[in-house]
Amino acid sequence: MTSIGKWMLAGLIAGFTPASLASTDLEAEYVAAIHSRVLANWTLPATLKPGSRCEVKVVQLPGGTIASATATADCEFDEAGKASIEAAVLRAQPLPYRGFESVFQRWMMLKFQAPLR
């Protein structure tokens, strides 16, 4: 797995930039594109505990169609939070693909942190 599979998507983590965890310029652009797309589709439920974290396992097909998006067992979000982040990932499809074929990852773990509000 390349660095793309290890990066973090985060809601308002101080000092975080998507590019900080990528090893190439193209990977950094790919990370930023996915970051922007998913967060733009995330509606935070009122019950989400500030600062809680959740990993979402994403399986995608070439072209950016998402086959599955599932919160992992250690996700700290409540049920509404889990449903909201899974839905955000699905609404973000197709994920960026054109121009990113060389850094495309079929499987990735996306990490999210609820804003501290």
Side-chain angles (χ1 to χ4, degrees):
M1 177 184 313
T2 69
S3 61
I4 294 293
K6 299 175 187 171
W7 57 276
M8 177 180 290
L9 287 179
L12 304 177
I13 292 179
F16 172 78
T17 61
S20 67
L21 295 172
S23 62
T24 70
D25 289 343
L26 188 59
E27 284 179 337
E29 289 177 37
Y30 184 51
V31 169
I34 292 173
H35 178 264
S36 176
R37 180 87 50 98
V38 173
L39 291 182
N41 283 282
W42 191 16
T43 303
L44 295 138
T47 59
L48 195 58
K49 180 181 172 185
S52 58
R53 296 173 186 250
C54 186
E55 288 188 347
V56 178
K57 179 181 178 182
V58 176
V59 179
Q60 65 172 328
L61 306 174
T65 300
I66 298 171
S68 65
T70 309
T72 61
D74 60 345
C75 177
E76 297 173 354
F77 292 0
D78 61 13
E79 290 307 312
K82 289 176 187 177
S84 75
I85 197 59
E86 291 171 349
V89 173
L90 292 172
R91 280 193 302 268
Q93 70 180 314
L95 293 178
Y97 181 74
R98 178 169 278 149
F100 299 111
E101 294 89 348
S102 66
V103 294
F104 170 80
Q105 294 292 309
R106 179 168 168 73
W107 177 91
M108 37 181 165
M109 293 296 288
L110 307 182
K111 297 182 182 185
F112 298 87
Q113 180 175 351
L116 298 177
R117 296 185 199 195

